[in-house]
Amino acid sequence: MDRNYVTRFFGGSPLAVLLRLVAISFVVGIILSALGVSPFDIVNGLRDFVWRLYMYGFDSIEWIVRYFLLGAVIVFPIWLVIRLFKVGGR
């Protein structure tokens, strides 16, 4: 693998980027700890967010299907009658 490719991918020397990420992670960890946030709070929050998104997604699909069926009960029979009259009129 080309060394320039790795440097471009990481945005600099991989070791320098790793050291920056470690330092930033440490500072963010101190701030979150001071705010009373734990890693479990973040993981549980993300899990709950995905679950709610999943549930709302299926609720939305149910809502869309319900309105589609409500309209289809009227639209499809009318379309069928119109098509039958057009075919019979020829």
Side-chain angles (χ1 to χ4, degrees):
M1 190 178 294
D2 186 18
R3 190 175 188 141
N4 289 330
Y5 174 77
V6 173
T7 303
R8 277 197 326 259
F9 177 76
F10 280 103
S13 165
L15 183 60
V17 172
L18 180 65
L19 290 174
R20 273 186 277 167
L21 288 174
V22 168
I24 292 170
S25 296
F26 185 72
V27 171
V28 169
I30 290 172
I31 293 169
L32 290 176
S33 178
L35 295 173
V37 178
S38 76
F40 298 111
D41 294 335
I42 295 172
V43 171
N44 289 336
L46 286 173
R47 185 195 65 209
D48 293 343
F49 172 73
V50 169
W51 177 251
R52 275 185 258 131
L53 192 63
Y54 174 78
M55 293 307 294
Y56 289 142
F58 279 114
D59 285 344
S60 298
I61 291 171
E62 180 183 349
W63 175 80
I64 289 169
V65 169
R66 186 175 299 163
Y67 280 120
F68 166 75
L69 291 175
L70 184 62
V73 167
I74 302 299
V75 171
F76 280 90
I78 291 173
W79 172 81
L80 183 61
V81 168
I82 290 172
R83 293 301 301 161
L84 290 174
F85 278 127
K86 282 189 176 183
V87 170
R90 287 185 187 174

